[in-house]
Amino acid sequence: MPVLAVFDAEGSWRETHVCDGRITERLARQGVAWGREDDAPEGQSLLDRATLFYVPAEDGYLGLLFEAGEWVSLPAAPLRPLPAALPNFDAFVEEVLMLTGNDAAEEN
């Protein structure tokens, strides 16, 4: 299940999306494409493990969590330092589990 989290410029969590349609729509505005193994473009590599990406957005950052077997195509973008407040992989997953009513302890 992909997850899209929207963060403001300081790195505060604002919104969370788990609906494929909303994720695809929001990412398209940033020049990001993604999908699952069965719709991967020719030659597109698949992720071999869950991976978190941060993409600069017009008013902050998008946090993108994808699972193994999914693919993502990110546009080339100028690098800028990420705010320290953006969560690392484990903290991101823990927050998503809490927001969706799951307990991280139950997932292990």
Side-chain angles (χ1 to χ4, degrees), residues 34-51 53 66-73:
W34 77 278
R36 294 189 174 81
E37 182 174 8
D38 59 342
D39 67 358
E42 183 75 28
Q44 176 69 51
S45 297
L46 300 176
L47 297 171
D48 61 358
R49 65 177 182 265
T51 306
F53 299 93
F66 294 105
E67 294 181 319
E70 294 175 332
W71 60 270
V72 62
S73 176

Side-chain angles (χ1 to χ4, degrees), residues 47-89:
L47 297 171
D48 61 358
R49 65 177 182 265
T51 306
L52 175 62
F53 299 93
Y54 283 105
V55 175
E58 58 278 350
D59 54 354
Y61 297 88
L62 302 178
L64 315 170
L65 179 67
F66 294 105
E67 294 181 319
E70 294 175 332
W71 60 270
V72 62
S73 176
L74 302 168
L79 295 177
R80 65 183 195 210
L82 295 174
L86 289 173
N88 66 22
F89 180 86

Side-chain angles (χ1 to χ4, degrees), residues 15 58 107:
E15 303 170 28
E58 58 278 350
E107 299 294 316

Side-chain angles (χ1 to χ4, degrees), residues 2-8 12-17 23 26-27 30 51-57 60-66 74 82 86-87 92 96:
V3 177
L4 168 70
V6 179
F7 296 87
D8 66 17
S12 296
W13 199 301
R14 296 293 181 212
E15 303 170 28
T16 307
H17 302 280
I23 291 171
R26 181 68 189 253
L27 292 181
Q30 299 302 131
T51 306
L52 175 62
F53 299 93
Y54 283 105
V55 175
Y61 297 88
L62 302 178
L64 315 170
L65 179 67
F66 294 105
L74 302 168
L82 295 174
L86 289 173
F92 189 99
V96 168

